[in-house]
Amino acid sequence: MRVAIITESFPPDVNGVAHSVVRVAEHLVARGHRPLVIAPEPASGMPRVTGPLGYPVVRVPSLPMPGYPTFRLGLPSRRLSEALVAHGTDVVHLAGPFFLGARGSTVAQHLGLPTVAVYQTDVPSYATAYRMRELGGAAAWRWLRRIHNAADRTLAPSTASATALLAHGVERVWLWRRGVDTDRFDPKHRSAALRRALVPGGEVLVGYVGRLAVEKRVELLAGVSKLPGVRLVIIGGGPVEASLRQALPDAVFLGVRQGAQLARLYASLDIFVHSGPFETFGQTLQEAASSGLPVVAPAAGGPVDLVNHGQTGLLVPPNSDQALADAVARLAASPRLRQSMGVAGRRLVEGRSWTAIGDELIEHYSAVLGTAQPAATPAAA
């Protein structure tokens, strides 16, 4: 099967869309399929992906997103249709479609190609968070509805996002969650040396991992950073890092970390905390649980599916700095509770491999091609 993945984001970008596209493409190659990735040109000065990928990547012209210059918006280009024709594409995968994905949807329709649209970004909420007057929440939903209803199938990562899509008139919605690398993110990578460097006084080590952007509401962790006996570390980068350093003077900012280094950091934490209320899924929560950590997160969006409140972590009211601080304080005071939640969280994600998730996706491709019927159930059911 020849699958063209048209994505709004791809490495060197560090985000959920880029990560899942890489894992999907790798899985397709491993299963003997022939993926093609079409993505925006990265920002000037950003390092390109190096080394053999096992699949071609076509870049299209791009512009910086307002307020987030390192994130690029792919522009309409003849390269897109030319790439699909040259590839001999059988099915088009639209990853988080909005700008480049909208054009991809139009081209796929013109070429008579079946499409699977994967909903991954809460653009309407982002538009509100970034105060984009020309793109309010209602306008964003109208645009998304047009894109997704042109697709043969929309895949939503969580029950909350599936419910939102259906409520806004999107049809043919199915659940398709995300995988996690349980070998990479494993409690065995806990490092005593790393902990001595970060908490020489033996404090409880609490960590946030993710982009430092407006919609992540990382400033809500100010109360956590001031808890006695707690050290907060921030892992990631983004456009609001400078302001966050001022808002969280007691936190330790470690910058972007990836691969084995990131896995050691996860496993060396005692508690994982997430502040963003707009997650359609929440991949870092899965990685934290896989690393044996209790998770504190807002009771909104994807985290509602990923955290069993009171068993694998604590869900708190969204946008409440006090609720986040109180939940972290409760866990910081009880090593036994942290241990039991960490074990339960690890057990919960052990069956969520990227191999299993990738095979589910291939079934969806086959379904829109008319060659098979997936065993999965539509979200509307």
Side-chain angles (χ1 to χ4, degrees):
M1 190 185 310
R2 295 172 182 261
V3 182
I5 305 173
I6 302 173
T7 178
E8 306 290 338
S9 188
F10 190 71
D13 298 340
V14 180
N15 57 53
V17 173
H19 176 71
S20 65
V21 167
V22 170
R23 299 312 297 260
V24 166
E26 290 174 345
H27 183 74
L28 288 171
V29 171
R31 286 289 190 252
H33 300 290
R34 300 186 64 178
L36 161 73
V37 171
I38 302 174
E41 285 279 1
S44 177
M46 291 289 288
R48 284 184 169 272
V49 180
T50 59
L53 292 175
Y55 51 88
V57 177
V58 173
R59 297 284 190 172
V60 300
S62 66
L63 288 174
M65 175 178 168
Y68 201 157
T70 59
F71 187 87
R72 310 294 291 187
L73 304 177
L75 301 177
S77 169
R78 291 181 59 185
R79 291 183 200 172
L80 199 155
S81 57
E82 291 170 352
L84 294 181
V85 171
H87 177 237
T89 299
D90 297 310
V91 61
V92 173
H93 171 139
L94 303 175
F98 199 79
F99 291 99
L100 181 59
R103 177 60 180 168
S105 172
T106 300
V107 172
Q109 291 177 65
H110 179 72
L111 295 175
L113 297 173
T115 57
V116 171
V118 180
Y119 180 71
Q120 292 183 257
T121 305
D122 186 356
V123 177
S125 294
Y126 283 22
T128 301
Y130 282 92
R131 299 178 181 177
M132 297 179 183
R133 295 179 181 177
E134 70 281 5
L135 182 63
W141 272 117
R142 286 194 297 271
W143 187 250
L144 283 171
R145 184 164 54 247
R146 173 188 168 191
I147 297 170
H148 284 274
N149 281 346
D152 295 278
R153 185 164 293 193
T154 285
L155 306 184
S158 64
T159 53
S161 57
T163 299
L165 287 163
L166 292 167
H168 286 88
V170 176
E171 304 164 352
R172 299 179 297 280
V173 178
W174 297 61
L175 279 173
W176 178 64
R177 305 186 190 277
R178 302 292 179 270
V180 62
D181 188 338
T182 54
D183 291 327
R184 168 168 288 178
F185 300 105
D186 190 298
K188 69 184 179 183
H189 298 308
R190 192 173 178 88
S191 167
L194 184 55
R195 286 183 57 81
R196 283 194 299 271
L198 293 173
V199 284
E203 298 91 341
V204 174
L205 190 58
V206 180
Y208 164 88
V209 178
R211 289 184 297 112
L212 305 184
V214 170
E215 71 277 5
K216 299 298 183 180
R217 299 301 312 277
V218 181
E219 72 278 3
L220 293 174
L221 300 181
V224 172
S225 71
K226 298 182 186 308
L227 290 171
V230 166
R231 173 63 57 86
L232 175 66
V233 295
I234 306 294
I235 303 164
V240 298
E241 181 174 346
S243 62
L244 286 174
R245 286 179 177 272
Q246 293 182 346
L248 305 173
D250 299 310
V252 178
F253 287 76
L254 299 179
V256 177
R257 295 290 186 271
Q258 300 183 57
Q261 190 177 46
L262 176 60
R264 283 194 299 272
L265 282 165
Y266 266 120
S268 300
L269 299 173
D270 296 307
I271 302 168
F272 182 82
V273 63
H274 187 78
S275 50
F278 305 128
E279 300 300 320
T280 59
F281 185 68
Q283 182 64 14
T284 58
L285 278 67
Q286 280 203 140
E287 293 168 353
S290 185
S291 302
L293 302 177
V295 172
V296 175
V304 175
D305 287 358
L306 299 178
V307 180
N308 287 346
H309 180 70
Q311 298 179 24
T312 67
L314 299 173
L315 292 171
V316 303
N319 299 308
S320 172
D321 54 349
Q322 188 62 55
L324 286 166
D326 289 347
V328 170
R330 177 184 169 189
L331 292 174
S334 178
R336 180 176 297 181
L337 184 58
R338 297 200 303 271
Q339 172 68 16
S340 65
M341 286 185 172
V343 170
R346 170 72 184 185
R347 187 181 304 120
L348 185 67
V349 302
E350 282 179 339
R352 299 176 183 171
S353 71
W354 274 107
T355 297
I357 295 299
D359 285 344
E360 284 183 19
L361 181 60
I362 291 172
E363 289 182 345
H364 286 293
Y365 294 156
S366 297
V368 300
L369 279 166
T371 58
Q373 179 62 40
T377 304

